[in-house]
Amino acid sequence: LVRGEPITVYCDRNRLGVADRLRLFLQVCAGVQHAHQKGVIHRDIKPSNVLVTVEAGAPACKIIDFGVAKAIAQPLTEQPLVTRAGMMVGTPAYMSPEQADLQEIDIDTRSDVYSLGVLLYELLIGVLPFDPKSLAGGGTGEMRRRLREDEPPRPSRRIGTFDATRAGEVAARRRTEFGPLRRRLTGDLDWIVMKALEKDRTRRYGSPGELAADLERSLHDQPVLAGPPTVGYRLGKFVRRHRIGVAAAAFVTAALIVGFALALAGFLKARRAEAAARQDAAAAEQTASFLIDLFEVSDPSEARGRTITARELLDKGAADVRTRLRDQPLLQARMMGTIGMVYMRLALYPEAKPLLEECLATRRRLLGEEASETLDSKIQLVQLRAVMADYAGGEATLREVLAVRRRKNGDQAPETINALQRLGDYLHERGKIAEAEPLLREVLEARRRTAASDPRDLYDIAAGYASLLQDLDRGAEAEPLYREAERGYATLDGPDGTARLRTLNNLATLLVGQDKLTEGEATFRTLLEADRRIYGIDHPETLTAMNNLGVVLSMEGKLAEAELLYREALDHRRRLLGDDNPETLYSIHNMGGLLADEGKYAESERYRREAYEGRRRVLGPEHPDTLEAASNLGTALLLLGRYSEAEARYREAADARRRLLGIDHADTQLSLMGVAAALLKEGKFDAAIAIRRELLATRQKSLPAGDPGIGSAMSRLGEALGGKGAGDEAESMLLGGFDVLEKSGHAPPTALHDAVERIATYYESIGKRALAAPWRARLAAMPAVPVARSTPR
């Protein structure tokens, strides 16, 4: 018993795109090929005989009903199928011409290839090559004639005859629109389907395996073996169908016309190929000459003892490209784009900008707004402007590029997936995490389907999606993706590959967020050493590693060493990137946290305010980094005793985070804790107690029993209750919270320290100093903890 549904029903119900339908169809080809290798021809391939089941979460095709199958070399059973003379075996709409011919007894494997072609036709556009009703309406003789002689329209032409409503429905079931679907069919898929449906079986694919191989080539953008039938072939078909009514003179005339057409087509094709070859040769020669002249500066006779740096070569190339290649504007644009991207990777943003802008302008002028090269240039320029904190029009441009590539290439084309990833990354960087998440998830799924063709693409999106999950407080999902990407990059590039180091940085950031400080510090020290060796001190990657090591050191209480790193990173970022660059603002923000840990509260507040105002101005009021800065400015103001100002900043962050991230997110809860702390200082105990009860209830609902997060929430609620004088409940919450933290075995040191401090303070506040004394002694034995929050980048 096979439990499943016909392949056409499954594809339509799940709205599979064209590429996914083709991948499923490849399973069918493999099954029929296997039957042929075992000496069995099915003879009745149709949707009701190809069922789809789901195994281990993936669709699997099952070919059933071999009731009319034919054995090639030996009988299938002891009682062979006996048919009457003149009886057709199979389903007419899916039947090959030779199978419909009652005199034809030599049915071979190519008959199944024809039926597979009919099934593929139906999967692509939802109808059969010949309408079953009209096929049966003319009687058996007419049906046989049509199957043997009439040519069905190509899928792209047939779908063009649908009315708007029907065409829209067919496209929607394939998760696209009519225009992109028709363009996807035109060319390779038309040719492949029509080769499978050839009347003359000698011109069909020789086996299901050959059909599958051509479909694989199409899926991977490789040239297919199927091709459009030539003029000569089509004319020959016409003559054979109407041989009685075609006079000899007409035949000769037609042959002459065909011969002339073929000769002319060949001549024009040769001329075009010759012109293209000359152009390519000229471009290659000019490129080689350009590169030779560029590297001549390192010749000893030219250098005269000086060491020539890569930067000097790059600068010379940037200067030469404008003059040396002016007679080859497209080649000039390509070289400008290449040099511009190298400048960008070296963090030489002002040098990169004019080159990338000129490259885009040239491609727009010569190739048009929607040419693939023009779209590439648009993406590169958006990337450059983003690292320069210029976000004007960036999102709109990336959405425009994605729309064009969807329309021209289809949803599953590599160019479309790349554009989707660029948009998702940009939205993530701009703090639009909810919008970015489904886009990057879709890219990850697409990359996994094609991982064998380019594993680097898979590792790139795994690392990028992990970063987004980390920002969504889904660290458990992010960590395996980071580790997968890090291992993959190491295999491709070795231990010092830049992509591996960048991923290792993000993984270490995640570990620090999980309070795995020792592992985080060791990783960041390794990264800083590698980045200094590879990039030098002024590169953004080096400065990021420097900042992040400083964060871990400050969390471990190594404040003097952390301050040296913070100040060095901040000085370099101000000089290289300017005060308003997001990376500079990270350093400013973290410097404020360190100064608070050192007890320099007034100076801390100035840095925290500069970071908050800068992020609000550059990134917008609801960017995650802006909300983080608002919350941490609240902490600085709280430490200075400016409680109402602190409450305002905490509320700004808490309200936006609750709306954008929900109450369960750690960042939302952190800001709400700040609001409650400010309210306590202001003597607004009822309001503070209400917030802390909500936080405790939220954690009890979302966290397992005994989690240290529950213990911290209990301790904070006990503090608020104690401030109001609610003695029994306050003491119960304070002691119970500490007990949960201690028994968990993995409570953060900060949480344990604060819980002990609250108990001692409570007992002192009610005059029970004897009960407070052992808690004070325990507190004195604990290491100091930071009071402000810094951020790894």
Side-chain angles (χ1 to χ4, degrees), residues 494-543:
D496 277 353
T498 56
R500 175 185 177 266
L501 296 177
R502 187 165 54 250
T503 304
L504 206 56
N505 172 83
N506 293 342
L507 175 60
T509 299
L510 179 67
L511 296 173
V512 170
Q514 298 169 341
D515 289 306
K516 299 174 182 177
L517 302 184
T518 302
E519 186 178 356
E521 179 188 344
T523 303
F524 281 133
R525 286 192 185 279
T526 300
L527 283 169
L528 180 56
E529 179 185 352
D531 287 343
R532 276 178 165 152
R533 182 178 70 253
I534 295 168
Y535 299 115
I537 190 59
D538 278 345
H539 195 277
E541 295 288 346
T542 306
L543 300 177

Side-chain angles (χ1 to χ4, degrees), residues 129-156:
F130 297 106
D131 178 63
K133 290 183 179 179
S134 67
L135 198 62
T140 303
E142 176 62 13
M143 176 177 65
R144 291 170 49 218
R145 186 201 65 76
R146 289 191 63 189
L147 290 174
R148 290 196 312 268
E149 298 180 8
D150 288 0
E151 295 287 351
R154 298 190 304 272
S156 64

